Amino acid sequence: MRHGGQILVDALKANGVGRVFSVPGESFLAALDGLYASGIQNVTCRHEGGAAMMAEAHGKLTGRPGVAFVTRGPGATNASAGVHVARQDSTPMILFVGQIARADRDRDAFQEVDYRAMFGPLAKWVAEIDQTERIPEYVSRAFHLAMSGRPGPVVLALPEDILSARAEVPDLAPPAPPLSAVAADSIKAIAQALAGAERPLVVPGGTLWSQAAADDLARFAAGWGLPVAVPFRRQGHMDNAHPNYVGDLGVGMNPALGQALSQADCVLSLGSRLGDTLTRGYELMDPVRPHARVIHIHPSPDELGHLWRPDPGLVADPRAVVAALAALPAPRRWDDWTAGLRAGYEAWQQPRPTPGAVRMEAVVRWLSDHLPPDAIVTNGAGNYAAFIHRYYRFRRFGTQLAPTSGSMGYGLPAAIAAKLEHPGRSVVCLAGDGCLQMTVNELSTAAQHGAAVIVIVADNGHYGTIRMHQERSYPGRVSGTALANPDFAALARAYGGHGERVERQEDFAEAFARAQAAGTLAVLELALDPEALSTGATLSQTRAAGEAGLRRA
């Protein structure tokens, strides 16, 4: 006889879970007891949103569901931010929520929430376990659904009396991996469709990817002379130094690459949903007036025909498809088309100077030139991230952790999860001053669990992205976007880490070396000029453009 918390933890062990992220609550004390001496590391976080984002980042890194535990009511609502990231990023994740006892349901009990209603639009599946004996069944299904088709988050509510009750029930073996073979006729049909194109573009996306798939994609692109453009924040899907890599399609994309997408007559989508960020709000590709043939490979049948008419479409693991395509002889080559797009990427990579004594373009290029190829770079949301997209060259799969959902505060929790999973690798979080303060309390989590992450803060004293849009639409009328920031370097030292403020570009390299040598969490605060608004425009230029627009109106 085991109590439900022990049954639950044993089910996690059966599914290969070695680490969970949590904020403790009295609603799941039995699960915490089950974790005691289980061999599963329980990473105690400071906020449920941070815990859920760490679990989501773990899922991105491993391809297996990241696991988070939070308490009922406010704990669950806080965690919803990470569930939303997992949903939009197609990341396998399982959120366990402590729940009130069954006898108190439907009485508006303390912290009572209907989790099916709350998480229904965000998760692939939401359920509440009603019998202790069925815990292994529910956990097995949760793991299967989190990884099947288009991966995503699953939420399981755990009534506290179910966890404390005892039962005699066997453990279940983990779900067997599905067969991944792709029929030869399907590969032949894809090759024939591609062979008829004059201006093809290959777009690999989604989370079902690996370093082996990145290598297969490189062989396929080189063998066929094809250009490869990745979706928003999927830059690790192919070595950016490869001559067939032509850039990323998403927020702040190279205008020349956007034009190429609008001119392409065939798009081979390997796991991408070809959504709004990739198409600049469906301006570059319009589902109503399609201009290009779409060869769509996706693991979920629900995605085929959702936006684009597939011609052909294939429900399959994109990793298996790209491996099969790489083994085929090329029916023709598109070297000139690809070379032109690569030249546009190289030109886009040339740093455009921004104002100030410390410049983000120079910092990011230095990191790109000096970090090892397996270094993991994380970020949340903000204009500072555009410098990463434009100037950093990702060399390997799994080295970019960033939310396609555009969630602020993601970078630090993701960096902590990455460092715990890969303690021997360099992990660097880039964050804006507003972005970091969404989850800055997780510096305490990094200190407690020995996650020696390096955080680089772009400190310009405002919510830069919103200020940019504000100046375009309502120039000179600054409202709600100014920030009063702490001394970030001193804050790092307060948590027992290393902290420095960098005020001159020439000091950055030595400051970064000291941060690496510290062997603890480290924060480097970049004193940026507020004029340096984006990779392509200053604050003054943006305001002037907004004023000109108002005059024309």
Side-chain angles (χ1 to χ4, degrees):
M1 298 286 284
R2 297 173 291 171
H3 64 59
Q6 189 63 58
I7 295 171
L8 173 63
V9 170
D10 289 343
L12 295 181
K13 291 177 67 176
N15 281 277
V17 174
R19 179 179 299 113
V20 300
F21 304 91
S22 75
V23 177
E26 69 272 21
S27 59
F28 61 97
L29 290 175
L32 291 172
D33 181 73
L35 288 168
Y36 181 81
S38 67
I40 295 176
Q41 182 186 17
N42 182 10
V43 179
T44 308
C45 306
R46 301 303 177 266
H47 189 275
E48 291 87 358
M53 289 178 185
M54 290 183 205
E56 192 278 343
H58 183 90
K60 269 197 181 87
L61 280 170
T62 64
R64 300 279 302 171
V67 176
F69 281 86
V70 301
T71 196
R72 62 202 174 205
T77 54
N78 285 343
S80 63
V83 177
H84 180 257
V85 174
R87 176 67 175 187
Q88 293 223 328
D89 286 40
S90 305
T91 306
M93 172 187 168
I94 301 174
L95 176 69
F96 292 102
V97 180
Q99 173 63 309
I100 62 170
R102 290 173 297 169
D104 295 332
R105 285 188 300 200
D106 300 322
R107 292 175 171 172
D108 198 17
F110 178 63
Q111 297 182 337
E112 181 179 5
V113 172
D114 180 348
Y115 296 111
R116 290 184 179 90
M118 174 186 163
F119 285 108
L122 295 181
K124 289 186 70 175
W125 180 50
V126 187
E128 186 166 315
I129 305 178
D130 273 342
Q131 294 175 261
T132 305
E133 293 84 353
R134 295 186 68 185
I135 289 175
E137 172 195 344
Y138 275 82
V139 172
S140 178
R141 184 177 176 187
F143 274 86
H144 176 80
L145 286 176
M147 292 185 292
S148 65
R150 176 187 170 189
V154 168
V155 178
L156 286 182
L158 309 168
E160 56 184 286
D161 56 318
I162 291 295
L163 290 178
S164 60
R166 293 182 175 270
E168 185 173 354
V169 59
D171 296 321
L172 294 178
L179 300 176
S180 61
V182 178
D185 287 348
S186 298
I187 300 300
K188 182 179 179 181
I190 293 169
Q192 288 177 342
L194 190 58
E198 296 299 324
R199 296 176 302 281
L201 199 60
V202 180
V203 182
T207 52
L208 290 182
W209 208 250
S210 64
Q211 185 55 47
D215 295 339
D216 288 335
L217 177 60
R219 288 193 297 116
F220 169 52
W224 292 45
L226 286 164
V228 177
V230 297
F232 184 50
R233 293 179 170 172
R234 303 293 193 196
Q235 287 164 269
H237 278 40
M238 184 177 180
D239 183 355
N240 297 180
H242 194 282
N244 293 71
Y245 177 85
V246 298
D248 62 298
L249 294 160
V251 179
M253 73 177 79
N254 180 356
L257 183 58
Q259 184 180 29
L261 178 61
S262 68
Q263 295 172 344
D265 62 348
C266 181
V267 175
L268 170 58
S269 173
L270 295 166
S272 170
R273 293 183 294 118
L274 302 177
D276 58 332
T277 53
L278 186 150
T279 60
R280 201 163 67 200
Y282 306 108
E283 177 186 338
L284 304 175
M285 283 180 68
D286 185 354
V288 178
R289 300 173 182 83
H291 71 274
R293 181 177 191 172
V294 175
I295 306 170
H296 205 172
I297 290 88
H298 200 278
S300 171
D302 294 338
E303 289 300 332
L304 299 186
H306 184 194
L307 286 173
W308 315 100
R309 175 182 175 272
D311 184 20
L314 177 63
V315 178
D317 186 328
R319 295 169 294 191
V321 173
V322 75
L325 288 172
L328 287 183
R332 58 178 293 191
R333 296 182 62 86
W334 295 268
D335 295 290
D336 292 343
W337 164 246
T338 300
L341 296 183
R342 178 66 187 188
Y345 169 73
E346 295 285 358
W348 182 245
Q349 283 260 293
Q350 296 305 309
R352 177 173 176 171
T354 56
V358 181
R359 302 177 305 281
M360 276 298 291
E361 71 277 6
V363 168
V364 173
R365 282 304 297 264
W366 187 93
L367 292 171
S368 183
D369 291 341
H370 290 87
L371 287 178
D374 68 348
I376 299 171
V377 178
T378 75
N379 65 268
N383 269 13
Y384 73 90
F387 290 88
I388 308 170
H389 304 155
R390 181 167 178 176
Y391 297 122
Y392 194 90
R393 291 196 177 190
F394 292 90
R395 305 299 304 275
R396 295 184 61 81
F397 174 72
T399 56
Q400 182 184 35
L401 291 180
T404 67
S405 65
S407 179
M408 293 180 70
Y410 179 86
L412 178 57
I416 294 169
K419 192 66 175 178
L420 292 175
E421 183 68 16
H422 298 291
R425 291 165 64 176
S426 297
V427 178
V428 178
C429 164
L430 285 95
D433 43 3
C435 184
L436 180 62
Q437 288 184 86
M438 293 278 180
T439 53
V440 71
N441 52 352
E442 300 301 347
L443 287 173
S444 178
T445 303
Q448 178 176 346
H449 295 280
V453 299
I454 298 176
V455 182
I456 299 174
V457 190
D459 183 357
N460 61 5
H462 55 225
Y463 288 116
T465 303
I466 311 307
R467 179 69 181 276
M468 176 182 70
H469 292 297
Q470 194 172 61
E471 294 289 0
R472 287 173 176 170
S473 301
Y474 305 98
R477 298 175 63 83
V478 181
S479 174
T481 50
L483 289 173
N485 291 328
D487 183 334
F488 290 107
L491 188 59
R493 294 192 293 270
Y495 281 117
H498 176 84
E500 290 190 47
R501 181 175 170 87
V502 180
E503 298 183 340
R504 301 187 311 163
Q505 188 61 46
E506 55 266 33
D507 296 334
F508 176 76
E510 291 185 3
F512 189 86
R514 288 189 291 270
Q516 283 184 307
T520 63
L521 71 92
V523 173
L524 298 180
E525 180 181 353
L526 306 180
L528 299 182
D529 189 328
E531 269 292 304
L533 194 58
S534 70
T535 64
T538 66
L539 180 60
S540 299
Q541 290 169 338
T542 304
R543 180 179 296 168
E547 291 171 344
L550 286 179
R551 287 193 295 271
R552 288 194 298 271

